[in-house]
Amino acid sequence: MMEEIRISAANILPELILILGVFGVVLAVSFKKPESKLSFYLFALIIVSYFFLVQLSLGNADGKHFFHQLLFLDIPAIFIKQLAALSAMIFMVHARIMHYKYAGEIYALILFILLGISFLSMTTHFITMYVSIELISLSSYVLVASDKLKKNFEAAIKYLIFGATSTAIMLYGISLFYGISHELDFSSATFLDSVSKNPSLAIQAISFMVLGGLFFKIAAAPFHQWIPDVYESTSTPIVSFLSFAPKAAGFLIISRFVSADFVDLTGTLVLIVVLSLVIGNFAALWQNNFKRMLAYSGIAQSGFILIGLVGTKDSDFYGTFFYILAYLPITMGAFLLADYLSLKVGSFHIPNFAGLGKKYPILTINAVIITISLIGLPPTIGFMAKLVVFSSLANQAFENSNMLLYGLLVFGLLNAAIAIYYYLRPAYFMILKEEDEHQKSRYFQSITLTLVLSYFGAILIFFFIYPNFLSDWVQHVVENGFLPKVRD
Amino acid sequence: MESGILSSLIILPLIGALVILLLPKVYKNSFKWICLIIQILSLISIFTILNLFDKQQAGYQFIEHSEWIRLALGAKSMLSIDYILGVDGLSFPMVILSGIVFLIASISSFGIQKREKAYYSLFMVLTASVYGSFMAVDFFLFFIFFEFMLLPMYFLIGIWGGPNRSFAALKFFIYTFAGSVLILVVMICLAISNRDEFFSSEFARMVYSFDFRMLKDQSNLLKDSIVSIKNPNFIWGIPAREFMFFLLLIGFGIKMPIVPFHTWLPDAHVEAPTPVSVILAGVLLKLGGYGIIRIAYQIFPDASMKYAGLIGILGLVSIIYGAFNALNQSDLKKLIAYSSVSHMGFVFVGIAAFNAVGFNGAIFQMFSHGILSAMLFLIVGVLYNRTHDRQISSYKGLAKKMPIFTLLTAIAFFGSLGLPALSGFIGEFLTLHGAFQSESLSKFIPMFSILGIVLSAIYFLWTFQKMFFGDLQNNKHDVSMLKDLNKSEILILSILGLGSILLGIFPNMLLNLSNTSILDILK
């Protein structure tokens, strides 16, 4: 027993570093003055070392089990952990260059979220999944409330209530699965065996319940109600981190669940995709607040990523993971853009962006690039991501001769066209409209901000022209499947 | 021949755009000269290619091929996209047309007063995209340039346009993007159905490629693929190949435009500034026709033969409907926009005819329509610059005050309606000749198209008489505002007019180019 713990602990060294980091940050906060930046630098150090330790943690093996099936480390898990670490680094850069003064506890909470993401991406066990989701959620609730304004409290309470409800539903589903199979690891042979003896409609319903908690985390309808309020009121670097990292982990575990393939989940997934696309796109059309619009567009983007999971026979979810990888610079760039624009005009109100095009040409060009990669137009990686996802859907539709999937293909593409209207609005106001004399915008040039934003724009275009690096990486990730191979 | 001359057509404008963006605003007077010089250089390259172009060879010439993307789609398959440029008898006339029209438009752009930096850089990006889409031999590359054209057009219409410009620009963008989305669906289905033999053995897995030359060769089709011929699949009851063909028809039909997908055109044209209208009518509409011949016909010849009758009817409806709408217009620019719809209908009829005469006629009509509609929009621009009024009823007796203008307008109007010795006649004659000879079209279609020619004569001559003859004093505007053409306007209009006359008298100059490739396509 102690042997097992000792050996397993060696494997989760990155997570141990995170835990030590939490302690370190809390100590720094307790014993230093509030203005001290020690917690920030400590946070930075922890994240960077975490990133590199994660890279090395698998060694030569294809996948390792430890802690008696509670955790399972393989290449997709490392991929998601690295992406989460990258997004935490971008969060740091964003907070730093826009001079956000965060209390030290924020960094500790982000470390907790990363810890939750690490465990969520490493598991096929229901209990670990539940505990990790709760870890991520509880830290997120506090993060949302951290600005201590009335709208933050309102958003945090909404988040809390929706989250608690979704996880309650998920727990109910898990308990039903346990009742059927007496087994909490959904990749084990006993589980698959006992589940397959039950009527498929019942299993589909229970899977929907279990997936409900996960859909809540990845911002898919109908579990999306918390997103607009949370995104609108929380401070932007935190939102930018929350808009990517928990989603990535959520998608990984949904992929694991779907690839276990004990029941045909195509119908459920198609329903969720259609709902997310419709609700996300049509609600975003009416938004005048940039962050709220990005929130609804995030719901639609989750719908697009889920399309890659539809249809499991021999499919390897390449499209989904490529889109997740592309989604990192796109969404974090979009929130950086939102913050930069709000600095120029004082609010997130889109019509106030009028006339910025003339004064700040480089900002405008970057805004256009980020906007068109959200839409999915060439020459950006947003287009490549959509192309790959829709190609895999077309492939699936053909191989299964499923008319529903053909319909989904055309529906998804038409939704991409509808989305143009609201994505183009900020660029439209910035370029095509003249500035209103009544509003005042502070005129200043910030080289750092422009440079970082241009860096995002350049990445989005560069990886369109040379996508081989990204495609090889994702290929390496999805090669071996998502479930443990050796069963005991 | 591995010269980079085709890539230079794309890269030179892009470099120009970069230079314009980087130069500080003080140099704004030089932006238009940079643009002009680049257009002249492009035209010189095009004429060089023209001289070296082998008219007897049917395939792509001046090919440039470099490896670009190898995207692994899972363990078993791979998507291979290459950067391939080439011109053949179908695309080269279009490239020549683009060269001429862009030069004319850049001279006409000298009148733009505000935000020249943004204008000229967008103009250069648009130039590069259009050249790229005509020269691309890889479907993916074609699609990228095709889509990417929409963004500069959106901004060009939206910033420098008329009062209702934002609505028109957005309508244009979303409408054409929806069309391109349908083309994207077909592109994806085609790609996963065709196996590239050469690369598959090299990479030991199934490689899907987008190369046009490979896509049209049906021996490359996988046996069980979506668009296979031997095992037809059905999507919602229609055979998959025909379904794809319809999607392509709709997608490119939106661009051409064909009734009933034409409603974006009058709005876009009326609100766009003159040079942008010239480019839109002169070049962008031809992309639709080019796309249909290149993609729909070469890749789905079975479906296109089967539905040739339908295409003919759609063409006929466009001709007649466009002409009737033009009859009804009081705004000169809208009238010319609807006459564009009508004349592109002739292209459709020529394509539907499915014989060499018809196809040659379609290409010729595209070229001549490009030149003539550029002329027509410039004419409207001349009047608009003077008086900011596009209503036909505001002008009377212009012939007395602006004789040179009258002459050039006469050439444009008579060319459009199909007077012999001008290029419009050859285009319409060839398409109708092909339609009459064709086995796949009923004889009624060309018969009723002739009605369209009569209608165009009606509206053009009527307009000409109303505006140019009559009493000069009945003009709504002060007569002194109606000065005759200045030098640059004379230059551009006469270049176009001369082109139209030349083509009308020596049509072989163009037909020689396209004939061999057309014959090859028809096989």
Side-chain angles (χ1 to χ4, degrees):
Chain A
M1 169 81 152
M2 283 307 293
E3 264 312 301
E4 171 85 21
I5 294 184
R6 201 172 56 79
I7 297 177
S8 306
N11 283 322
I12 59 163
L13 188 58
E15 285 73 37
L16 289 177
I17 298 289
L18 280 182
I19 297 177
L20 281 176
V22 170
F23 284 135
V25 169
V26 170
L27 283 174
V29 165
S30 319
F31 290 113
K32 285 268 184 185
K33 289 194 270 232
E35 304 86 52
S36 150
K37 295 222 191 71
L38 176 62
S39 48
F40 176 75
Y41 291 125
L42 200 56
F43 176 75
L45 181 64
I46 301 287
I47 296 289
V48 173
S49 44
Y50 171 73
F51 181 79
F52 285 112
L53 281 173
V54 161
Q55 178 65 31
L56 299 171
S57 55
L58 195 52
N60 291 332
D62 267 339
K64 283 194 256 187
H65 264 291
F66 32 89
F67 284 118
H68 290 300
Q69 259 85 59
L70 276 181
L71 292 178
F72 168 67
L73 179 63
D74 61 354
I75 302 181
I78 294 189
F79 177 66
I80 296 293
K81 290 201 275 188
Q82 284 180 316
L83 286 184
L86 275 175
S87 76
M89 287 192 236
I90 299 180
F91 156 78
M92 266 179 350
V93 169
H94 186 169
R96 193 89 185 89
I97 60 179
M98 310 243 3
H99 305 296
Y100 277 90
K101 299 265 182 300
Y102 283 135
E105 292 95 356
I106 306 283
Y107 301 117
L109 287 167
I110 303 259
L111 287 175
F112 269 127
I113 295 185
L114 272 177
L115 198 57
I117 291 177
S118 305
F119 286 124
L120 188 58
S121 53
M122 284 200 291
T123 183
T124 55
H125 195 274
F126 281 129
I127 294 295
T128 323
M129 181 174 90
Y130 171 69
V131 170
S132 329
I133 290 183
E134 285 295 3
L135 183 55
I136 302 177
S137 306
L138 287 172
S139 319
S140 316
Y141 305 153
V142 180
L143 268 183
V144 167
S146 60
D147 271 352
K148 302 198 191 101
L149 297 171
K150 179 160 172 258
K151 58 176 181 167
N152 291 103
F153 290 139
E154 180 188 339
I157 296 284
K158 272 193 195 164
Y159 196 1
L160 170 65
I161 294 184
F162 279 114
T165 318
S166 313
T167 38
I169 299 178
M170 183 171 79
L171 268 180
Y172 183 52
I174 294 178
S175 65
L176 284 175
F177 268 136
Y178 183 68
I180 296 176
S181 63
H182 282 287
E183 172 70 52
L184 282 170
D185 182 354
F186 63 76
S187 61
S188 73
T190 28
F191 182 83
L192 298 173
D193 205 32
S194 15
V195 158
S196 62
K197 295 193 172 75
N198 287 282
S200 119
L201 196 56
I203 301 295
Q204 277 184 25
I206 306 179
S207 307
F208 181 76
M209 282 196 272
V210 170
L211 285 175
L214 293 167
F215 288 142
F216 158 76
K217 265 275 132 314
I218 61 169
F223 302 95
H224 67 284
Q225 273 93 331
W226 55 278
I227 292 193
D229 294 299
V230 165
Y231 279 37
E232 186 182 359
S233 45
T234 320
S235 96
T236 317
I238 296 182
V239 174
S240 129
F241 175 72
L242 285 180
S243 80
F244 178 75
K247 274 196 202 179
F251 277 118
L252 176 59
I253 190 156
I254 294 180
S255 316
R256 290 199 204 272
F257 194 76
V258 169
S259 67
D261 202 19
F262 39 84
V263 70
D264 181 21
L265 285 168
T266 318
T268 318
L269 283 175
V270 168
L271 178 66
I272 301 284
V273 167
V274 168
L275 274 176
S276 307
L277 287 178
V278 167
I279 293 181
N281 277 327
F282 283 99
L285 287 174
W286 303 100
Q287 297 304 324
N288 272 330
N289 180 311
F290 195 22
K291 277 211 291 188
R292 214 174 161 85
M293 183 205 94
L294 281 177
Y296 279 112
S297 95
I299 300 178
Q301 301 282 352
S302 293
F304 282 121
I305 303 182
L306 276 178
I307 289 183
L309 292 177
V310 167
T312 52
K313 297 208 183 71
D314 294 333
S315 114
D316 54 3
F317 304 147
Y318 178 82
T320 301
F321 283 88
F322 191 89
Y323 205 122
I324 294 177
L325 180 57
Y327 194 53
L328 170 62
I330 294 177
T331 193
M332 298 197 86
F335 279 107
L336 182 62
L337 175 71
D339 230 5
Y340 193 179
L341 286 173
S342 80
L343 207 55
K344 297 278 190 212
V345 297
S347 75
F348 288 103
H349 192 58
I350 295 183
N352 282 349
F353 294 160
L356 281 183
K358 263 197 211 163
K359 286 201 248 171
Y360 305 104
I362 302 189
L363 166 63
T364 313
I365 294 179
N366 284 314
V368 170
I369 295 176
I370 293 179
T371 305
I372 65 180
S373 54
L374 277 167
I375 298 176
L377 277 181
T380 60
I381 49 175
F383 173 70
M384 292 302 278
K386 287 209 162 69
L387 178 71
V388 174
V389 162
F390 283 116
S391 297
S392 68
L393 178 63
N395 229 344
Q396 286 300 317
F398 169 66
E399 275 176 30
N400 301 342
S401 289
N402 194 337
M403 291 304 131
L404 183 64
L405 295 182
Y406 279 120
L408 184 63
L409 179 65
V410 179
F411 180 75
L413 284 172
L414 287 176
N415 264 294
I418 293 175
I420 298 179
Y421 173 72
Y422 62 82
Y423 280 130
L424 268 185
R425 280 187 86 214
Y428 159 76
F429 275 105
M430 290 201 314
I431 303 182
L432 270 63
K433 286 273 190 203
E434 300 295 325
E435 186 174 357
D436 200 4
E437 303 88 42
H438 299 297
Q439 84 197 32
K440 291 179 285 195
S441 64
R442 295 167 44 214
Y443 181 81
F444 64 94
Q445 293 280 19
S446 165
I447 308 275
T448 332
L449 281 173
T450 318
L451 266 180
V452 175
L453 198 59
S454 315
Y455 183 63
F456 274 101
I459 286 190
L460 291 175
I461 296 194
F462 177 76
F463 281 114
F464 173 78
I465 305 182
Y466 295 106
N468 289 325
F469 170 68
L470 295 184
S471 69
D472 289 340
W473 191 7
V474 179
Q475 174 58 28
H476 181 57
V477 164
V478 301
E479 258 169 351
N480 287 327
F482 296 98
L483 294 176
K485 288 213 173 42
V486 179
R487 304 296 333 133
D488 40 29
Chain B
M1 195 192 311
E2 272 293 332
S3 74
I5 200 165
L6 290 184
S7 286
S8 75
L9 280 178
I10 302 180
I11 298 193
L12 202 55
L14 284 177
I15 295 182
L18 200 62
V19 165
I20 293 180
L21 275 178
L22 290 176
L23 281 178
K25 275 207 194 97
V26 251
Y27 291 109
K28 66 177 159 189
N29 286 326
S30 57
F31 293 151
K32 51 191 183 199
W33 297 110
I34 297 179
C35 180
L36 184 62
I37 292 176
I38 290 185
Q39 300 295 350
I40 294 181
L41 284 176
S42 305
L43 203 57
I44 294 178
S45 323
I46 293 180
F47 280 122
T48 317
I49 303 178
L50 179 60
N51 275 329
L52 295 170
F53 191 80
D54 182 2
K55 299 201 178 73
Q56 307 304 323
Q57 186 186 336
Y60 285 102
Q61 301 174 30
F62 299 95
I63 294 184
E64 294 169 30
H65 189 150
S66 45
E67 216 178 272
W68 183 22
I69 300 181
R70 299 272 176 267
L71 201 65
L73 284 181
K76 291 179 286 189
S77 52
M78 199 154 125
L79 215 55
S80 126
I81 301 167
D82 287 342
Y83 175 81
I84 316 179
L85 295 179
V87 283
D88 69 347
L90 176 59
S91 49
F92 194 48
M94 300 293 118
V95 173
I96 303 178
L97 177 67
S98 317
I100 300 177
V101 170
F102 275 118
L103 179 63
I104 302 292
S106 58
I107 300 181
S108 158
S109 307
F110 276 31
I112 299 284
Q113 298 295 345
K114 61 168 178 159
R115 297 174 78 172
E116 293 91 347
K117 190 187 241 210
Y119 179 86
Y120 285 107
S121 37
L122 284 170
F123 194 91
M124 301 264 85
V125 171
L126 183 62
T127 316
S129 309
V130 168
Y131 280 134
S133 39
F134 278 129
M135 295 192 298
V137 176
D138 186 285
F139 197 169
F140 187 81
L141 199 63
F142 168 80
F143 186 75
I144 295 179
F145 283 120
F146 189 74
E147 289 251 311
F148 191 56
M149 232 172 24
L150 301 181
L151 203 63
M153 279 302 291
Y154 171 75
F155 287 124
L156 283 171
I157 299 181
I159 304 182
W160 290 273
N164 203 13
R165 55 187 186 266
S166 3
F167 168 71
L170 196 63
K171 187 173 180 182
F172 165 77
F173 193 45
I174 296 189
Y175 215 139
T176 2
F177 186 76
S180 344
V181 151
L182 295 175
I183 301 175
L184 180 67
V185 172
V186 177
M187 182 175 101
I188 294 177
C189 292
L190 273 178
I192 61 181
S193 316
N194 280 290
R195 180 168 178 249
D196 187 333
E197 293 290 336
F198 173 69
F199 283 122
S200 298
S201 45
E202 191 179 308
F203 286 106
R205 47 172 99 171
M206 186 84 78
V207 175
Y208 303 125
S209 164
F210 284 99
D211 195 338
F212 270 150
R213 301 167 289 183
M214 204 205 69
L215 286 176
K216 69 178 186 187
D217 182 2
Q218 293 180 353
S219 59
N220 281 325
L221 282 182
L222 295 166
K223 254 209 308 227
D224 297 321
S225 63
I226 299 181
V227 287
S228 77
I229 306 184
K230 294 203 185 69
N231 296 342
N233 292 294
F234 286 82
I235 303 180
W236 302 333
I238 314 175
R241 283 187 75 89
E242 296 175 17
F243 186 72
M244 299 291 150
F245 180 72
F246 280 131
L247 285 182
L248 281 179
L249 213 59
I250 298 177
F252 285 116
I254 292 181
K255 200 92 182 107
M256 257 181 91
I258 293 294
V259 175
F261 304 116
H262 67 289
T263 48
W264 59 272
L265 188 69
D267 287 310
H269 263 136
V270 164
E271 301 300 333
T274 308
V276 178
S277 270
V278 166
I279 299 179
L280 183 56
V283 176
L284 292 189
L285 301 189
K286 315 300 173 284
L287 268 173
Y290 170 75
I292 292 209
I293 300 184
R294 172 74 80 209
I295 301 174
Y297 269 59
Q298 284 193 324
I299 304 182
F300 297 107
D302 44 333
S304 34
M305 253 199 291
K306 192 167 163 200
Y307 287 105
L310 174 68
I311 300 180
I313 294 180
L314 278 177
L316 175 66
V317 169
S318 295
I319 298 176
I320 305 286
Y321 187 77
F324 272 120
N325 263 319
L327 263 178
N328 200 18
Q329 292 302 326
S330 54
D331 181 334
L332 185 60
K333 211 167 189 188
K334 247 191 178 153
L335 182 146
I336 298 178
Y338 277 111
S339 87
S340 271
V341 175
S342 182
H343 287 293
M344 289 308 279
F346 276 103
V347 175
F348 236 41
V349 170
I351 295 177
F354 230 93
N355 48 24
V357 183
F359 270 27
N360 271 320
I363 299 179
F364 197 93
Q365 172 74 348
M366 284 203 277
F367 196 97
S368 111
H369 175 258
I371 296 187
L372 288 169
S373 65
M375 250 183 118
L376 288 169
F377 280 106
L378 284 172
I379 288 169
V380 180
V382 160
L383 285 175
Y384 189 75
N385 279 340
R386 309 263 189 284
T387 58
H388 286 281
D389 186 355
R390 289 189 304 259
Q391 301 300 322
I392 299 177
S393 49
S394 319
Y395 299 100
K396 273 199 180 9
L398 290 175
K400 292 206 188 77
K401 194 79 174 15
M402 308 164 77
I404 309 180
F405 181 59
T406 313
L407 173 65
L408 290 165
T409 313
I411 297 181
F413 275 12
F414 286 122
S416 280
L417 66 90
L419 193 71
L422 292 170
S423 54
F425 170 69
I426 309 277
E428 291 171 359
F429 175 72
L430 284 176
T431 52
L432 292 178
H433 188 56
F436 270 117
Q437 270 185 353
S438 146
E439 300 135 5
S440 41
L441 285 182
S442 85
K443 299 286 183 278
F444 288 107
I445 295 183
M447 280 197 325
F448 284 115
S449 311
I450 299 185
L451 178 64
I453 303 185
V454 174
L455 285 170
S456 68
I458 296 179
Y459 59 76
F460 272 128
L461 290 176
W462 200 18
T463 312
F464 193 62
Q465 191 224 4
K466 272 203 288 195
M467 284 172 60
F468 287 90
F469 301 130
D471 198 353
L472 186 56
Q473 302 312 317
N474 281 339
N475 258 303
K476 197 162 151 212
H477 301 279
D478 191 8
V479 168
S480 59
M481 290 212 300
L482 300 169
K483 301 198 197 71
D484 208 352
L485 301 180
N486 61 28
K487 288 211 181 58
S488 60
E489 290 163 344
I490 297 183
L491 178 69
I492 47 185
L493 282 174
S494 43
I495 292 180
L496 291 175
L498 211 59
S500 181
I501 297 179
L502 260 179
L503 277 180
I505 305 183
F506 299 112
N508 264 330
M509 288 185 352
L510 189 62
L511 291 176
N512 275 339
L513 283 176
S514 51
N515 205 14
T516 329
S517 306
I518 296 293
L519 290 174
D520 185 62
I521 294 175
L522 279 174
K523 270 191 253 141

